Amino acid sequence: MTAAGTGHGSEAPADHAEFASPADVDRRLAEVGYLTDEAIATTVYLAQALGKPLLVEGPAGVGKTELAKAVATAQGAELIRLQCYEGLDEARALYEFNYKKQLLAIQAASGDRAWQQTHDDIFSEEFLLERPLLAAIRRTGPTVLLIDEADKADVEVEGMLLEVLSDFQVTIPELGTVAAVRRPFVLITSNAARELSEALKRRCLYLHLDYPEPERERDIVLARVPGIEAALAEQLVRTVGTLRDLEIKKAPSIAESVDWARTLLALGLDELDEAAVARTLGVVLKHVSDQERAVKELGLKG
């Protein structure tokens, strides 16, 4: 299965309703600059129709995060993003209380005030700091919740996600249970750096994205880089494909293909010959060892 696009447009279509069918997904995502295929369009539609989180897995740079952005733009929804990382905890993902503000309130409280009353006051809505998961659950408007790079978070975080995604509710001991009035569209991305738990996968629909076929990547470049000639776009994506086949640390992403096309236009180049590749290789290869290997394997001279 191939990736579909690298970005969403600046304007959403006039129709902000939920997707009516896979064909509607395909049409409306294309309108915001994200080109899909049948599998992507069908899986996105089913995730919405069944109210299931969508787990999108694949190498970095194939359009996983951009899919969430495109869905949000196409539906006129707010995008709420939880960026996962090692050490992420409940306080950063769900909620915490504003301890500094609480301390100031305690210090300002009169001496004859009962502690229980002060306690109840400082553990109120006024002192609550909502983080992405709670914010997504409490929104009443259309929302896309992006849980990005879930494989970078500690295994313990998956337990928290299971609880939230099973019932779409959060229990705050001091305030009670907050349940979603309107379930967000949840999209979880993973670069497959580690295996996610089977329990989490069972709760999700699954979509694997890979680097696109040359024809599709050419179409993406043509859509995202106005003014580039089709022949140059085709030459560029063939070269990018060759680079991806090398044993390098970081294969060029779709976004870097688009950047490369914009670079060629900025330099006024109408052909990606060996000299042009050598001059602009840093746009797509960001490691010295990768550039050295490309120069050697492709027989470049500079």
Side-chain angles (χ1 to χ4, degrees):
M1 191 178 303
T2 59
T6 65
H8 55 296
S10 57
E11 295 182 2
D15 180 7
H16 288 175
E18 292 188 341
F19 299 121
S21 65
D24 190 39
V25 174
D26 182 77
R27 175 183 64 83
R28 287 166 59 185
L29 292 190
E31 287 177 1
V32 298
Y34 194 100
L35 305 183
T36 72
D37 60 21
E38 185 176 5
I40 295 170
T42 300
T43 310
V44 168
Y45 172 70
L46 289 175
Q48 173 201 274
L50 301 177
K52 291 266 195 179
L54 173 56
L55 172 59
V56 185
E57 196 169 58
V62 295
K64 302 186 298 296
T65 299
E66 294 302 330
L67 177 57
K69 293 178 181 179
V71 169
T73 304
Q75 293 194 337
E78 178 174 340
L79 177 70
I80 296 179
R81 180 175 183 172
L82 173 63
Q83 180 63 51
C84 296
Y85 54 87
E86 187 177 350
L88 178 69
D89 59 11
E90 186 173 296
R92 295 300 176 196
L94 270 173
Y95 72 90
E96 63 180 326
F97 284 95
N98 190 329
Y99 300 115
K100 291 183 179 179
K101 192 174 180 181
Q102 286 176 319
L103 182 58
L104 290 174
I106 292 171
Q107 292 173 341
S110 59
D112 58 351
R113 194 178 193 195
W115 164 246
Q116 188 59 48
Q117 184 178 357
T118 301
H119 175 277
D120 292 344
D121 285 346
I122 64 173
F123 285 100
S124 62
E125 182 74 30
E126 178 185 354
F127 296 88
L128 184 68
L129 298 175
E130 63 179 23
R131 301 306 184 195
L133 294 181
L134 179 59
I137 285 177
R138 301 213 304 178
R139 270 189 53 79
T140 56
T143 305
V144 172
L145 171 60
L146 168 61
I147 301 173
D148 213 6
E149 299 184 306
D151 53 321
K152 289 187 176 180
D154 299 323
V155 176
E156 291 75 15
V157 171
E158 290 189 40
M160 176 179 60
L161 292 178
L162 286 173
E163 183 178 356
V164 172
L165 299 179
S166 293
D167 303 316
F168 285 91
Q169 65 181 32
V170 174
T171 299
I172 304 173
E174 298 83 0
L175 298 177
T177 298
V178 179
V181 176
R182 178 173 184 165
R183 287 195 175 195
F185 182 102
V186 180
L187 192 147
I188 305 169
T189 74
S190 169
N191 295 335
R194 69 170 179 84
E195 278 289 330
L196 299 178
S197 70
E198 291 300 323
L200 180 60
K201 288 184 175 181
R202 279 198 303 272
R203 285 162 174 78
C204 302
L205 298 187
Y206 181 81
L207 176 66
H208 183 267
L209 291 186
D210 208 337
Y211 296 111
E213 296 298 322
E215 295 78 11
R216 185 174 295 277
E217 189 161 12
R218 178 203 60 206
D219 291 344
I220 293 168
V221 170
L222 290 172
R224 300 295 296 166
V225 188
I228 190 169
E229 295 294 333
L232 180 57
E234 190 155 344
Q235 189 179 19
L236 183 146
V237 299
R238 284 202 310 268
T239 304
V240 168
T242 300
L243 294 175
R244 287 177 184 149
D245 289 338
L246 302 178
E247 294 182 4
I248 55 179
K249 289 183 179 180
K250 172 64 176 66
S253 67
I254 303 173
E256 285 164 334
S257 295
V258 171
D259 287 343
W260 207 5
R262 290 174 176 154
T263 297
L264 298 178
L265 280 187
L267 293 175
L269 300 174
D270 55 11
E271 184 180 1
L272 190 60
D273 55 19
E274 289 187 7
V277 172
R279 287 174 61 193
T280 60
L281 201 54
V283 177
V284 286
L285 298 182
K286 310 298 173 62
H287 294 275
V288 172
S289 60
D290 289 350
Q291 292 186 14
E292 291 174 344
R293 180 176 289 275
V295 168
K296 178 181 178 181
E297 296 291 336
L298 301 181
L300 304 179
K301 294 182 180 180

